[in-house]
Amino acid sequence: VIEFTEKDPYAPIAYVYEISDVLFDKKTAYQRIQVVENRFFGRMLLLDGIVQITDKDEFFYHEMLAHPVLHAHPDPRRVVVIGGGDGGTVREVLKHDTVEKVFFIEIDEEVIETSRRFFPKVSAGIDDPRVEVRPMDGAEFVKELADEVDAIIVDSTDIVGFAKVLFEESFFRSVNRALRAGGVYASHTESLHFHLNIVREVQEVLRRVFPVVDLYTASIATYGGNWWAFGCASKGGGFRDKVRPCKVPTRFYDEEVHRQAFLTPRLYDRLLRGELDW
Amino acid sequence: VIEFTEKDPYAPIAYVYEISDVLFDKKTAYQRIQVVENRFFGRMLLLDGIVQITDKDEFFYHEMLAHPVLHAHPDPRRVVVIGGGDGGTVREVLKHDTVEKVFFIEIDEEVIETSRRFFPKVSAGIDDPRVEVRPMDGAEFVKELADEVDAIIVDSTDIVGFAKVLFEESFFRSVNRALRAGGVYASHTESLHFHLNIVREVQEVLRRVFPVVDLYTASIATYGGNWWAFGCASKGGGFRDKVRPCKVPTRFYDEEVHRQAFLTPRLYDRLLRGELDW
């Protein structure tokens, strides 16, 4: 038995997985891609040694990244997905019948190819005719848009390294400009247990740009700190009320999960004021 | 730097902590007790190599174990706490002004002594005059009670080894008999990510004994699988409605957290029918 240790320098716990097989291991221009096999989680995709998805639990993250904002939008037709080269977020977006076009912007094409090969259920949507793959920098792509799309969903690696640009104010200003009236944005923003300051900073920057900003969470066992936070923003209505009922097939998300996921008003207020004390 | 690896045989991820100091290490008649120091989590209490509490995040678990059921009871006066020798659950119970008596049943007195010495903020309530410490088997203690207490809270180690008896039907029947009208019960029941079958089995056994049974969760970074499930049961009303507003001082729990914590009806129903597919 081989052991794989995920040593995220930004996480105070390292996670150790028993690995029965290493199926793929390659250094691309951007990162090291590995696919390994674990008895409990099935196949696992690692980028630079950090777990991105596993067969077993990827749906929690992908459903919770895509569906809350898409259900808060009255009629999402044109959607941008940045990152998430495995295709899981694209798969969830495509479940919405209203969606006519998905711009799938992944800087590292080799992640897409790896997912096609090893994660067929996750990558299944990539060949849908509504999907246009653009192998480029997501910030560059969004910069060229003006009043053109209804949702921009950022499915990035951790907020360090080359994904950092996707959490800066200039990028959020491009997102705001790219969105049509009522447009929505979502991204993960690390762990409420481990990265309270990052979660708060992203909220602060979003609030300088968007009229409506909010935060919801989901528990994900394979992401360090696991109480995973998602930042969302809107040029239209809020995310807590008047959300469309869930009519897409899901394993976890529904309108009740949606309601539960948003941080309580008291905790959210304390987060913004820097008063959460853990 | 020393590394400590928590290798729970029932968890598919082992957790590794950097340890700056080992403050205490002793084998008692029941288990090995260790107190170690970590830069992020502060002091950590380990029993048989499994993390029980840390300075940093113990309040999530203790608040979420004690307050949901106590707030669902109209007037909790006499409370039994089984296990939880660190005193954290007793501390939370004592925050309720209605509480006149806490029977604190910990089989291993050395856990209490260790907590007094190394976790003064956690153990602070143990010397409260309302607390009666009984160093004995919790199942034996409860067996002798009939119609005598308002709440029984089980703060055990993992549902294996010597805590197993606290999750069997015969114990739940003792709990039911021990509780007065309207009495409530709560216990952790492992992780919804890692131990779906255990979570479900405990619910099934509880439902054979109590008229009202429910399930809520909290995300706890230092417990394997982290999406931590709590089973609760009542001889009176339910846990989702008509809960008293939170008037006790807390860092996490409040009535909104309470509402969010209970598994959604759809997911709960699917759990009971064995249809949750992860």
Side-chain angles (χ1 to χ4, degrees), chain B residues 155-175:
Chain B
D155 182 0
S156 74
T157 47
D158 284 328
I159 308 178
V160 287
F162 63 82
K164 198 167 176 298
V165 62
L166 299 174
F167 296 90
E168 287 170 359
E169 185 168 334
S170 57
F171 173 69
F172 293 150
R173 295 210 175 274
S174 299
V175 168

Side-chain angles (χ1 to χ4, degrees), chain A residues 170-195:
Chain A
S170 57
F171 173 68
F172 292 150
R173 294 209 176 276
S174 300
V175 168
N176 190 45
R177 199 164 43 238
L179 290 171
R180 301 200 278 210
V184 292
Y185 155 90
S187 167
H188 87 84
T189 67
E190 305 289 334
S191 157
L192 261 185
H193 280 310
F194 287 178
H195 315 105

Side-chain angles (χ1 to χ4, degrees), chain B residues 8-9 23 46 69 74 188 203:
Chain B
D8 179 345
L23 302 169
L46 320 178
V69 293
H188 87 84
Q203 288 288 309

Side-chain angles (χ1 to χ4, degrees), chain A residues 133-204:
Chain A
V133 180
R134 297 272 189 97
M136 64 181 290
D137 179 308
E140 291 301 316
F141 177 79
V142 169
K143 209 185 277 179
E144 303 303 317
L145 303 179
D147 201 21
E148 280 174 70
V149 296
D150 301 309
I152 296 177
I153 299 175
V154 176
D155 182 1
S156 74
T157 46
D158 284 329
I159 310 179
V160 288
F162 65 82
K164 199 168 176 297
V165 64
L166 298 174
F167 296 91
E168 287 170 359
E169 185 168 334
S170 57
F171 173 68
F172 292 150
R173 294 209 176 276
S174 300
V175 168
N176 190 45
R177 199 164 43 238
L179 290 171
R180 301 200 278 210
V184 292
Y185 155 90
S187 167
H188 87 84
T189 67
E190 305 289 334
S191 157
L192 261 185
H193 280 310
F194 287 178
H195 315 105
L196 207 46
N197 286 338
I198 293 178
V199 174
R200 185 174 142 217
E201 278 162 29
V202 173
Q203 288 287 309
E204 279 172 358

